[in-house]
Amino acid sequence: MSDSQTPNQLAIQESLKARIISRPNPWVGAVIVPYGFQDDPAKWISGHTQRYKGDHAEICAIKNAGDLTVNATLYVTLEPCNHFGNTPPCTEAIIAAGITKVVVGIIDPDQRVSGSGIQKLLEAGIEVEFFSDADRKSIIEILLPYLWHKKTQTPFILLKMAVTADGKTATSTGDSKWISSEASRKFVHYIRATADAIVVGASTVKNDDPELTVRYGYETELLNQPMRIVFGGVPEGSKIEPCIKFSGDIVNFLDEFKMYDFQLVMIEGGSNVAAEFMSSGLVNMIMLFMAPKIYGGNDAFSIFSGSGPKYIKDLQKGSFGAVELIGGDIKINYYTEDTVEFINSISEITRNVIADT
């Protein structure tokens, strides 16, 4: 913990520890600042959501703090729940712990919560404040798959691609190992560990024979590997087996797998599958790993196959999210237009509650 880190930032950092293990529950972080220790980070106590049906972040922090909860301030990235589910309401535990102030990141869009947690705390005489705009934006980006799934009852679709600086995903021969750095590939395994399913095309399986499993140590946190789905057939003896072979139309994809209640589906290529998902409007986010390498020709593979629009006015529009450097590569998060509108709607829900508080 850095001495310059705020309780808000520590809570956000703590939430990432739950990212792999907490699904389908949201990955939440909480920090308790005991009374009189606002300026002493060494005395702050944190907690994060445990495995499904286990303790929520607030409960973990309360248990870790013991008697230090009396007159303390609780910082939590998502509104505390106020209903009985697999665990009792977090609001009741907060009240019973003697916490006198709660600082909340964003409102939980779950209809069982959605402002009722805030209302319960206020009725108990607990002071409620909210994270800064910048911190709330970070939380929304981190929680997007949960938020999207909770509001739409459909999976959040993430397209991951490694590209050269001039936008190529493979040479003219199909060679793509490796465009991105070792550090980027390790990060991809972390993202895989958060996915319910990984989708690739038959050509990718034929050319690369990928396992598409979670490795680099992240598999130790999983109860099950993500489901592997292939668009088309799979050669006998492929490393991706066992997998599900999908031969239907892309427009039926969501209905075909609705029974699994996926929260996050990760598309890992190739360019045909990427183009199908993108043109169908199913993609929420593109995660690009841009390597400092140049192909230099026009005969290599690009992110999407096929022809694009003839005019600039017809281009699909979106917005960039987080951009960071990983192992010499630039990781860029791009959100499609529908997702940008959704992010704005989630922000508006929290703003409306803040206005009424």
Side-chain angles (χ1 to χ4, degrees):
M1 182 194 310
S2 169
D3 287 342
S4 62
Q5 200 171 36
T6 67
N8 294 8
Q9 293 165 342
L10 180 58
I12 292 172
Q13 180 180 310
E14 186 73 17
S15 73
L16 297 176
K17 297 178 181 178
R19 181 65 182 90
I20 295 175
I21 65 173
S22 68
R23 288 175 296 133
N25 284 343
W27 34 105
V28 179
V31 171
I32 288 176
V33 176
Y35 181 75
F37 292 102
Q38 185 71 33
D39 298 322
D40 189 354
K43 297 293 196 298
W44 301 350
I45 302 111
S46 59
H48 58 269
T49 312
Q50 300 301 295
R51 288 199 184 276
Y52 182 53
K53 298 186 178 180
D55 286 340
H56 291 186
E58 303 94 319
I59 305 305
C60 286
I62 288 171
K63 287 181 177 179
N64 291 340
D67 294 340
L68 293 176
T69 59
V70 177
N71 294 323
T73 299
L74 168 68
Y75 297 79
V76 61
T77 56
L78 188 69
E79 175 186 13
C81 67
N82 189 41
H83 62 280
F84 280 91
N86 291 306
T87 60
C90 288
T91 51
E92 298 289 354
I94 292 169
I95 295 167
I99 291 169
T100 53
K101 181 178 179 180
V102 177
V103 185
V104 176
I106 64 172
I107 298 300
D108 190 342
D110 187 330
Q111 291 183 354
R112 298 170 299 175
V113 191
S114 196
S116 68
I118 302 297
Q119 188 60 37
K120 180 71 174 181
L121 297 176
L122 291 172
E123 290 172 354
I126 294 175
E127 183 182 357
V128 176
E129 292 184 358
F130 291 87
F131 284 30
S132 68
D133 289 345
D135 286 338
R136 293 204 304 271
K137 181 180 179 182
S138 296
I139 293 168
I140 291 173
E141 285 203 44
I142 290 169
L143 280 173
L144 258 180
Y146 164 78
L147 298 169
W148 178 272
H149 177 261
K150 187 59 65 177
K151 288 289 285 184
T152 68
Q153 302 303 306
T154 61
F156 188 86
I157 308 291
L158 167 64
L159 171 62
K160 184 278 299 180
M161 284 288 185
V163 298
T164 61
D166 52 343
K168 306 303 181 183
T169 59
T171 68
S172 59
T173 65
D175 182 26
S176 62
K177 294 183 178 178
W178 297 102
I179 289 176
S180 59
S181 66
E182 175 84 7
S184 290
R185 298 198 298 277
K186 181 177 180 180
F187 187 84
V188 167
H189 280 264
Y190 167 70
I191 299 300
R192 279 185 190 172
T194 71
D196 299 296
I198 299 171
V199 177
V200 292
S203 294
T204 297
V205 175
K206 180 181 178 181
N207 295 334
D208 299 342
D209 193 21
E211 293 181 51
L212 294 184
T213 54
V214 177
R215 300 186 296 280
Y216 283 92
Y218 296 118
E219 71 277 12
T220 61
E221 298 187 61
L222 295 175
L223 296 178
N224 300 291
Q225 287 277 349
M227 181 183 293
R228 294 173 290 183
I229 302 170
V230 179
F231 270 57
V234 174
E236 186 177 349
S238 296
K239 293 177 183 176
I240 200 171
E241 293 278 22
C243 64
I244 292 180
K245 297 134 184 119
F246 179 76
S247 57
D249 192 293
I250 186 69
V251 297
N252 298 322
F253 178 81
L254 293 184
D255 287 338
E256 185 78 14
F257 292 95
K258 188 174 183 179
M259 70 181 79
Y260 296 104
D261 198 29
F262 294 145
Q263 192 176 84
L264 174 62
V265 173
M266 187 174 178
I267 314 298
E268 292 213 37
S271 59
N272 291 334
V273 171
E276 284 190 67
F277 270 89
M278 196 68 187
S279 62
S280 69
L282 292 178
V283 174
N284 293 104
M285 172 182 169
I286 302 174
M287 183 178 287
L288 285 180
F289 293 85
M290 182 176 289
K293 300 172 184 178
I294 296 289
Y295 181 73
N298 62 3
D299 58 345
F301 287 86
S302 297
I303 298 174
F304 303 111
S305 64
S307 301
K310 294 181 179 181
Y311 304 105
I312 294 295
K313 66 180 180 64
D314 297 323
L315 299 185
Q316 295 190 46
K317 301 175 181 65
S319 179
F320 289 123
V323 178
E324 59 182 305
L325 198 64
I326 299 180
D329 302 330
I330 300 176
K331 182 180 78 69
I332 304 170
N333 291 347
Y334 168 88
Y335 298 114
T336 57
E337 191 169 19
D338 286 348
T339 309
V340 172
E341 291 178 2
F342 176 79
I343 291 172
N344 291 337
S345 72
I346 294 296
S347 297
E348 185 65 22
I349 290 171
T350 300
R351 285 196 296 269
N352 289 339
V353 173
I354 292 174
D356 293 336
T357 301

